[in-house]
Amino acid sequence: MPFPRVTVCSFNPIKRTFVEREFNSRGDAEKQKLNSTRDLSDDLLDYLMMFNSDAMTLYGRADGQQLHSGDNVFKQYVATHPNFTADTFFMNAGFSCSDMFKMCSFGGRRFDCCKYATPVFSDLGKCFTLSVQDSEKPWMKMQTEPGIAAGLQIILDSHLEEQFDSETDGVTPVFSSAFENGFRYYVHANEQIPFLASEGIAVSPDSVVYSALSSSKYILLSSKAWGNCSDSWPPGYDFAFPYTAAMCSTMCKAKYFNRLCGCSPSIYNYESNFVDCTPYETYRCMDTKMKKVVNQTTLNIEMPTCEECRVECRSQVYHSFNSYGKGLSRGALIWLSKQGQWPILHMKSNFQVVNVFFRDMSYTEYIQKQGMSLTELLSDIGGNMGMFMGMSVFTIIELSLFLSKIGWIAFSRKRRDYMYSKKKSEEQHEKELEDVVTGFKLFRHRKSGNDMSRLREKIKGLPMHRVTSEQLNVSKLAWENEPDLERRLAKVTRQKSALKEHKDHQTEQVGRGRAASMFRSRRSRSETAPATSHIT
């Protein structure tokens, strides 16, 4: 696994010997003593230690009168030393790499610490970031197996003799908001600022610390993909270094102070993009321009919320599980004294050992995904509408067309006039059709009524010879009582011929009646039919 960076900071940001010895000021070829004029007083040192304090911590702890007097001393010193700046002072007054790092090894192999260490400025002054991934040696870039022996080991020197103790030098010890001796180190990814992105781990002299690391990766959705993260600086933030949420928040505070105060506290002013505020200027600006009274008693300082600084879309976080051991063994002290010719008493009072390693060769990856894709959303909506409302895609299309037409009618007067005229035209057409159908029905009713009435009259006018049962019995009896067969047959023949003549007479009368009826129906049709009728 790729090994992270480790940034180490000393709790003592100023070496005593630096104040006492000669140094070469920035841009000056002439050597001068920092305190040769005895104007670097205890008050000025205490005031300089507040340059790196957080603004809220400074406002809560500092006293306005003391800050004002310290600011006057600082301005007097700057007037006599025009090239003096607080940042340059801390970078020059801090420990060098060889002072802090005594021995480094990775996977049991020793290497030159200062070859891969870079000085950085933090809230504790001058620090060094150790990046083994920058090595050209493959075995230094990654840890290949879990455990202490395969990780990074650093032996540090606190140099407690470089502190102001007021007993041997008569100078009051400075307080840099740290309550212990030793070092604080941060384990962080390459693109992150150590003191902003990681929790610090403290180690004191004559002790050993073991930091077992576990790694977590976070891959989040950007705002373009329904997420809330960002990989680029917000509008108005034009900076060259990589974007992180912590750095964006820091630069947001720097811009806020620069807008209200005309300068920015040094802790927020990364890469000196703005003018540095002195501690008193920071305190005064917060007290006059940021203070807000709540409920007439409570005082709040209005700091920017920096809502535009979203969490980065890709990040890697290292969590450390620390355990400590007190005291270096006698054998370790003797072995170290042979390696660097360091006195045992000095090592016992100032040395500490830092072990950083992966506890297992794995990491946890958190990937943010959409709870429901567009296809799943449409399927869910379509399923519920189809099951509970009986709707389909065609129904939605028809409903959309209907609503669009309703909206067209509602907003277009021309469309309303057209629909009104169309409705009137359809009503007139329906009325004409209804009149035509009614005329046809009346014509058919008249035709069928005249034919049936005449037929009934003809049937009533036909001669009807009703034969009673007595006459039928008499005829039957006469037929049966006729003894002569020839006379019986003659009677039958006469009856048949008479019956035939009767039928022919009836047929002739019916034919005449039909002809007359057809003539009358044609005449009535020509009289009752409408003069003109056009059906389209």
Side-chain angles (χ1 to χ4, degrees):
M1 294 180 60
F3 205 80
R5 291 185 178 183
V6 179
T7 299
V8 182
C9 303
S10 175
F11 285 130
N12 181 23
I14 302 174
K15 293 192 301 182
R16 184 182 64 180
T17 54
F18 177 81
V19 179
E20 297 172 349
R21 75 170 186 264
E22 290 183 349
F23 82 104
N24 198 3
S25 179
R26 184 177 62 179
D28 291 341
E30 180 185 358
K31 288 186 178 181
Q32 56 181 342
K33 251 181 196 180
L34 178 65
N35 201 21
S36 59
T37 57
R38 295 297 176 181
D39 52 1
L40 186 63
S41 61
D42 297 346
D43 294 336
L44 180 57
L45 284 175
D46 290 337
Y47 187 74
L48 289 173
M49 296 305 299
M50 297 180 185
F51 267 85
N52 298 332
S53 300
D54 181 77
M56 293 300 296
T57 303
L58 175 66
Y59 186 81
R61 291 182 178 180
D63 180 75
Q65 294 295 333
Q66 293 181 356
L67 286 177
H68 184 59
S69 60
D71 188 68
N72 292 331
V73 174
F74 174 75
K75 290 180 179 180
Q76 293 175 5
Y77 187 85
V78 172
T80 57
H81 302 78
N83 295 324
F84 179 83
T85 61
D87 293 347
T88 304
F89 170 75
F90 282 107
M91 293 299 290
N92 293 330
F95 291 97
S96 65
C97 178
S98 58
D99 292 336
M100 294 173 55
F101 295 88
K102 295 303 180 183
M103 186 182 296
C104 296
S105 63
F106 188 82
R109 300 184 185 183
R110 292 180 60 178
F111 65 92
D112 185 5
C113 306
C114 296
K115 185 177 180 180
Y116 308 104
T118 305
V120 295
F121 187 76
S122 74
D123 57 340
L124 291 177
K126 185 179 181 180
C127 305
F128 286 91
T129 298
L130 185 63
S131 178
V132 295
Q133 292 189 26
D134 296 338
S135 173
E136 67 281 358
K137 301 175 182 179
W139 56 270
M140 288 183 61
K141 293 178 179 295
M142 298 187 182
Q143 183 174 336
T144 56
E145 60 182 18
I148 301 174
L152 175 67
Q153 184 180 79
I154 307 172
I155 299 178
L156 301 171
D157 191 348
S158 299
H159 288 287
L160 298 181
E161 72 277 3
E162 291 289 349
Q163 292 182 353
F164 296 100
D165 54 9
S166 72
E167 295 179 358
T168 59
D169 49 27
V171 179
T172 304
V174 294
F175 178 63
S176 61
S177 71
F179 291 89
E180 66 269 32
N181 293 322
F183 294 90
R184 178 181 295 168
Y185 62 96
Y186 308 86
V187 181
H188 57 93
N190 295 342
E191 66 278 1
Q192 293 177 338
I193 307 301
F195 64 95
L196 297 177
S198 174
E199 64 273 12
I201 306 167
V203 56
S204 297
D206 196 25
S207 62
V208 182
V209 60
Y210 302 89
S211 296
L213 303 179
S214 65
S215 179
S216 299
K217 290 184 178 180
Y218 297 89
I219 303 176
L220 308 178
L221 292 175
S222 64
S223 56
K224 298 180 181 179
W226 307 93
N228 195 34
C229 69
S230 177
D231 281 329
S232 59
W233 289 95
Y237 291 74
D238 188 15
F239 303 109
F241 41 87
Y243 173 83
T244 61
M247 180 53 66
C248 180
S249 178
T250 300
M251 299 311 299
C252 173
K253 295 176 182 178
K255 289 169 63 68
Y256 179 75
F257 272 93
N258 186 66
R259 185 173 68 254
L260 293 181
C261 312
C263 58
S264 173
S266 178
I267 191 63
Y268 303 141
N269 193 12
Y270 186 73
E271 293 189 353
S272 300
N273 290 280
F274 308 102
V275 178
D276 284 337
C277 291
T278 64
Y280 179 71
E281 290 174 345
T282 302
Y283 178 87
R284 183 65 179 171
C285 180
M286 295 176 67
D287 190 62
T288 57
K289 299 181 180 181
M290 302 182 189
K291 185 170 63 174
K292 181 180 180 181
V293 180
V294 180
N295 297 328
Q296 298 181 354
T297 55
T298 307
L299 299 179
N300 288 340
I301 299 297
E302 290 185 341
M303 295 292 287
T305 57
C306 302
E307 297 178 356
E308 66 273 16
C309 295
R310 299 180 178 180
V311 64
E312 55 268 29
C313 294
R314 290 179 174 269
S315 60
Q316 187 165 6
V317 180
Y318 296 95
H319 304 280
S320 61
F321 301 85
N322 305 305
S323 59
Y324 292 86
K326 176 62 178 175
L328 300 177
S329 66
R330 185 68 179 177
L333 293 174
I334 295 175
W335 180 81
L336 287 173
S337 64
K338 295 179 181 179
Q339 301 299 320
Q341 302 298 323
W342 301 302
I344 293 179
L345 292 178
H346 176 82
M347 290 188 295
K348 192 173 183 180
S349 302
N350 294 276
F351 275 26
Q352 48 258 294
V353 182
V354 176
N355 296 278
V356 183
F357 56 92
F358 285 112
R359 63 175 184 173
D360 49 19
M361 303 306 295
S362 63
Y363 63 90
T364 304
E365 189 175 67
Y366 299 92
I367 301 177
Q368 186 182 29
K369 294 184 177 181
Q370 296 182 19
M372 180 179 293
S373 64
L374 180 60
T375 304
E376 294 173 344
L377 177 62
L378 294 177
S379 300
D380 194 7
I381 294 175
N384 290 329
M385 293 177 65
M387 177 176 291
F388 298 106
M389 303 177 65
M391 298 182 67
S392 64
V393 177
F394 298 103
T395 309
I396 296 175
I397 295 175
E398 292 174 354
L399 182 61
S400 301
L401 292 175
F402 174 75
L403 294 177
S404 63
K405 289 184 178 181
I406 294 298
W408 188 9
I409 294 173
F411 291 101
S412 176
R413 183 176 181 180
K414 185 177 180 181
R415 181 65 179 175
R416 289 197 299 270
D417 296 340
Y418 169 75
M419 295 299 295
Y420 179 78
S421 61
K422 183 179 179 182
K423 183 178 180 181
K424 288 295 184 181
S425 178
E426 290 178 353
E427 290 178 354
Q428 183 68 24
H429 184 65
E430 291 179 358
K431 186 176 181 180
E432 292 177 357
L433 288 178
E434 185 177 357
D435 293 341
V436 172
V437 171
T438 303
F440 272 104
K441 288 183 178 180
L442 181 61
F443 170 71
R444 292 182 61 186
H445 176 70
R446 290 177 179 177
K447 178 181 177 181
S448 61
N450 294 333
D451 292 344
M452 292 301 294
S453 61
R454 290 187 178 88
L455 182 59
R456 284 193 293 268
E457 292 177 357
K458 290 179 181 180
I459 293 174
K460 292 180 180 180
L462 290 176
M464 299 290 293
H465 299 281
R466 298 181 180 274
V467 180
T468 62
S469 59
E470 294 179 356
Q471 293 175 349
L472 182 60
N473 292 333
V474 171
S475 299
K476 184 179 180 181
L477 183 60
W479 169 262
E480 291 177 355
N481 293 334
E482 182 65 41
D484 190 0
L485 180 61
E486 292 180 359
R487 295 177 67 177
R488 185 184 298 179
L489 292 174
K491 287 182 179 182
V492 172
T493 303
R494 287 194 301 270
Q495 291 178 355
K496 287 182 177 181
S497 61
L499 180 61
K500 184 178 179 181
E501 291 177 359
H502 179 68
K503 290 182 177 181
D504 293 340
H505 179 70
Q506 288 182 348
T507 303
E508 183 179 358
Q509 290 181 349
V510 171
R512 292 177 180 176
R514 288 182 177 178
S517 175
M518 290 177 65
F519 176 75
R520 287 191 297 268
S521 63
R522 290 178 182 176
R523 184 178 179 182
S524 62
R525 185 181 303 172
S526 61
E527 293 176 354
T528 58
T532 57
S533 61
H534 299 280
I535 301 176
T536 58

